[in-house]
Amino acid sequence: MAVSGVVISGASRGLGAALARRYAVPGARLLLTARSAAALEGVAEACRAQGASVTTLACDITEAAPLAAALAVFEAAGPVDLVIANAGTSAGTAPDGTPEDAAAAARQVAVNLIGAINLVGPLLPGMRARRAGRVGLIASVAGLRGLPDFPGYCASKAGLIGWGEGLRAQLGPLGIRVTVVTPGFFDSAMGARFHGRRMFVLSQDQAADRVWRALEAGAPRAAFPWPLALGLRLLALLPPRLGDWAVRRMRFRVSPEG
């Protein structure tokens, strides 16, 4: 489906950058956000070379005011057809066995959940008025069942899933499609920081293709790889003691962000 106005957060690398390149077609207008101005500009230049018009915003997704102001300027130049909330952060049990603290858990909720709300929320009034638009929320299979070595990350993604499911039910009758994406491990800088048994790891391009196809189809959900997503959904249905016993067999250590 052709789009003209696209907003993507976390677009300086990984999945966000890969999706930006997929939507960088002649005539497209992109607003790309991330914390690193230099890395963001590199992705922007690649997208411009493909014929897209690109605006960048280096900001922390938790800072609602500057983000809302930039979104208003971008939307004033033309409607936003698609917004992808992809920015994320992660933490967990450190390599030395130290569990994540309250500050790390709160930071993950602030970025992964509140940051998505900061990005998508200001664009919803325009979509409602036009009765058109698409929203993509990049959550995680970790949001399907709490895991012992990164509970803050699981909480942030579970919240994002819940918010997205509610938005989809609310906005569907208005012609606005919401896709909640729950990927597992794929090749990325974030994924490389998780040390443990990473099952069914996809390449970055495979992950980007699956997300892109889901967004283009307006799919309500996209979960991959499906064996891992299905397994965690089933674990969530088990009696708590049995489910807790099972997830304690899925141990990880998480290196800090560089």
Side-chain angles (χ1 to χ4, degrees):
M1 178 180 294
V3 293
S4 59
V6 180
V7 175
I8 305 174
S9 66
S12 63
R13 63 180 183 176
L15 181 61
L19 290 171
R21 289 189 291 269
R22 279 163 174 74
Y23 282 103
V25 298
R29 296 186 310 114
L30 306 183
L31 172 59
L32 306 180
T33 78
R35 287 182 297 171
S36 171
L40 195 58
E41 190 56 34
V43 177
E45 284 301 310
C47 292
R48 292 182 185 117
Q50 295 175 202
S53 171
V54 185
T55 301
T56 62
L57 174 66
C59 72
D60 189 318
I61 200 74
T62 65
E63 297 176 359
L67 181 58
L71 291 169
V73 171
F74 185 74
E75 192 170 31
V80 173
D81 305 294
L82 170 65
V83 54
I84 304 173
N86 170 71
T89 188
S90 61
T93 302
D96 65 2
T98 303
E100 69 177 17
D101 59 21
R107 173 65 181 171
Q108 290 169 90
V109 172
V111 173
N112 300 346
L113 174 57
I114 306 303
I117 294 172
N118 290 344
L119 182 78
V120 175
L123 298 172
L124 293 180
M127 290 184 175
R128 289 191 181 101
R130 295 188 301 274
R131 300 182 70 88
R134 288 181 287 164
V135 177
L137 302 175
I138 310 302
S140 169
V141 294
L144 301 176
R145 208 289 181 189
L147 301 171
D149 285 313
F150 35 100
Y153 185 75
C154 293
S156 69
K157 294 301 187 177
L160 185 57
I161 292 169
W163 189 63
E165 298 277 356
L167 276 186
R168 190 179 64 237
Q170 176 194 99
L171 300 174
L174 299 179
I176 302 167
R177 290 171 290 175
V178 178
T179 300
V180 179
V181 184
T182 52
F185 284 113
F186 58 90
D187 292 331
S188 68
M190 181 183 290
R193 293 174 37 242
F194 282 72
H195 309 291
R197 187 184 178 191
R198 300 193 302 156
M199 297 179 290
F200 311 107
V201 181
L202 302 179
S203 71
Q204 182 176 283
D205 282 340
Q206 287 175 317
D209 284 341
R210 294 187 188 200
V211 174
W212 182 83
R213 287 198 301 268
L215 293 172
E216 290 301 283
R221 293 175 179 167
F224 59 86
W226 70 264
L228 182 57
L230 177 60
L232 287 171
R233 284 192 179 277
L234 292 175
L235 281 177
L237 299 176
L238 291 177
R241 288 184 181 178
L242 183 56
D244 291 349
W245 175 87
V247 297
R248 281 195 290 267
R249 272 66 190 161
M250 303 166 61
R251 305 313 299 260
F252 284 89
R253 295 293 182 264
V254 185
S255 296
E257 286 187 305

